[in-house]
Amino acid sequence: MRVAIVTESFLPMINGVTTSVCRVAEQLAALGHDVVIVAPEPAPAWFGPIPVHTVRSVPVRQFPTGVPSGRVEYLLAEIAPDVVHVASPFVIGARALTAAGELGLPSVAIYQTDMPRYVEQHSPGPVAPQVARLAWRWVRRIHALADVTLAPSHAAVQALQEHGVERVALWGRGVDTALFTPAWRSHPDTHTLRADLAPGGEVLVGYVGRLAPEKEADRLAELHGIPGIRLVIVGDGPSRPALEAEFRTLKWAGPAPVFLGFRTGEALAQAYAALDLFVHPGTTETFGQTLQEAAASGLPVVAAAVGGPLDLVDHGRTGLLFDPARPGALGACVGHLAGAPEERIAMGGRASEAVAARTWPALTDELVGHYRRAVSQAQERRLALDAAP
């Protein structure tokens, strides 16, 4: 198939949308499909052997946001794909879905970002609910244009359906089990990193992700009274200075938290492997890719019992789910596992086994099936229109 991937985010920006697009594009190309990417500037002209076409962008909250101009339709007409894959549509994705409909191109929309919750969090208190309703109206309008909408978790599927989005199917995300693996624990560099982070044999509790308000990393302050642990934060973002300042004001029972900054590739895999358990405090995840990476690395995961983590954490077997509405619940879960090394190891082993089959090749095979479904639905719709009086 010839596939045009239109994405709201791409390199050099690193986030969940970018990572998913990169892995899908690589796997599609490896399977022999013809792939073209359309992304906001300043994306590179090529991603490996895959051509990348850019549209003009403007900065919005440090993100290059594509301008939904006529260039999107021009590019899709020029590319002439068999299917248009739109990653996390909101701005240029909306224009791409409109253009696909006008050009008679089948389309698949990937729901990945909980934009209504995001804009609600960033809106003044009194107007936040109204802004969220408007955002849902926009999401509903966008996804009505798609032949198929794919959501990454059962919670996301349910949320879309409850807000009137039709033709929704479940499609998760793959994880690179060759990169994220417990085997890194025996690597000398991992031993060195762990010795630096836990000179007193502390239990290392890690968070990996972007440091931004919607990630709710400030909840990690709840861990300050737990003895014998050290909090390790991997990632960067606009909230980092405020988090560092806040954590300095707290009296930690163990060593103060350490910020390792942004890491990728083997350096990231080694950071996971150096940890004893993984924690994710956010409540707006439609999926939670870092939870899968941590599980693949053999770590038990502590996460909020809402959204994507409900699909990824088997409570009591591969980790623990905490009630984000109950003060102290996060700390109680971390404190319990910090004092139960045998339980941690057993959970980590089961977590690694649970994600072993969730490879990107397997998930891409599923995705191609959804592409074919979108093509069939688009054909049926055209036949129905042709037959209408």
Side-chain angles (χ1 to χ4, degrees):
M1 303 180 77
R2 185 164 172 79
V3 182
I5 300 179
V6 182
T7 178
E8 302 283 353
S9 178
F10 197 59
L11 301 171
M13 295 296 297
I14 302 293
N15 52 43
V17 175
T18 297
T19 300
S20 179
V21 168
C22 288
R23 299 294 83 78
V24 165
E26 288 172 342
Q27 293 302 320
L28 287 171
L31 290 170
H33 299 286
D34 186 8
V35 184
V36 179
I37 296 172
V38 177
E41 294 175 340
W46 293 87
F47 174 61
I50 299 169
V52 181
H53 299 280
T54 59
V55 299
R56 190 168 65 87
S57 69
V58 294
V60 177
R61 298 186 71 87
Q62 299 185 333
F63 282 98
T65 300
V67 176
S69 66
R71 177 166 169 77
V72 176
E73 185 170 3
Y74 167 80
L75 287 170
L76 289 180
E78 185 179 60
I79 295 166
D82 296 307
V83 65
V84 180
H85 168 133
V86 187
S88 196
F90 204 71
V91 185
I92 63 169
R95 184 63 184 256
L97 289 169
T98 300
E102 293 173 349
L103 295 167
L105 301 172
S107 59
V108 174
I110 312 297
Y111 182 73
Q112 187 155 331
T113 304
D114 187 352
M115 194 59 70
R117 183 67 180 271
Y118 178 84
V119 297
E120 183 178 21
Q121 285 186 334
H122 288 81
S123 300
V127 302
Q130 181 180 356
V131 171
R133 285 193 294 271
L134 290 172
W136 269 117
R137 186 182 303 172
W138 181 242
V139 168
R140 187 163 53 247
R141 179 181 175 185
I142 291 172
H143 287 272
L145 300 169
D147 292 295
V148 174
T149 287
L150 300 179
S153 63
H154 287 89
V157 169
Q158 182 178 351
L160 288 167
Q161 291 175 336
E162 288 176 349
H163 286 87
V165 178
E166 300 178 342
R167 301 182 299 279
V168 182
L170 179 68
W171 178 66
R173 300 291 182 271
V175 62
D176 187 346
T177 54
L179 177 61
F180 301 107
T181 167
W184 279 109
R185 292 179 183 170
S186 60
H187 194 280
D189 290 347
T190 306
H191 287 303
T192 300
L193 177 61
R194 183 172 176 84
D196 289 342
L197 296 175
E202 292 82 8
V203 174
L204 295 180
V205 179
Y207 165 83
V208 175
R210 178 172 161 78
L211 300 179
E214 68 274 10
K215 298 300 184 180
E216 302 175 72
D218 55 308
R219 289 177 179 265
L220 296 172
E222 195 173 304
L223 309 183
H224 77 277
I226 302 175
I229 73 165
R230 188 177 200 185
L231 179 60
V232 179
I233 297 176
V234 182
D236 212 338
S239 294
R240 178 173 175 174
L243 286 170
E244 289 184 316
E246 178 187 358
F247 289 173
R248 280 197 296 268
T249 67
L250 299 174
K251 186 176 180 181
W252 293 81
V258 57
F259 288 74
L260 297 184
F262 176 77
R263 292 191 174 206
T264 189
E266 292 186 356
L268 176 59
Q270 289 169 5
Y272 277 117
L275 302 174
D276 294 297
L277 66 98
F278 183 80
V279 61
H280 189 84
T283 60
T284 64
E285 297 293 342
T286 59
F287 187 68
Q289 183 65 5
T290 58
L291 279 68
Q292 279 202 140
E293 293 170 353
S297 302
L299 298 176
V301 174
V302 174
V306 62
L310 292 172
D311 283 6
L312 299 176
V313 180
D314 187 350
H315 182 72
R317 291 197 72 257
T318 65
L320 297 176
L321 294 166
F322 70 91
D323 180 358
R326 184 166 66 85
L330 168 59
C333 287
V334 171
H336 170 75
L337 289 180
E342 291 184 2
E343 186 176 357
R344 284 200 314 269
I345 293 170
M347 281 186 171
R350 290 192 291 265
S352 181
E353 292 173 1
V355 300
R358 298 179 194 166
T359 63
W360 275 114
L363 270 292
T364 305
D365 283 341
E366 283 185 27
L367 180 61
V368 172
H370 290 299
Y371 287 168
R372 300 196 187 285
R373 177 184 160 206
V375 171
S376 296
Q377 291 192 355
Q379 289 172 345
E380 291 174 4
R381 188 171 303 142
R382 282 196 297 270
L383 290 173
L385 290 173
D386 292 342

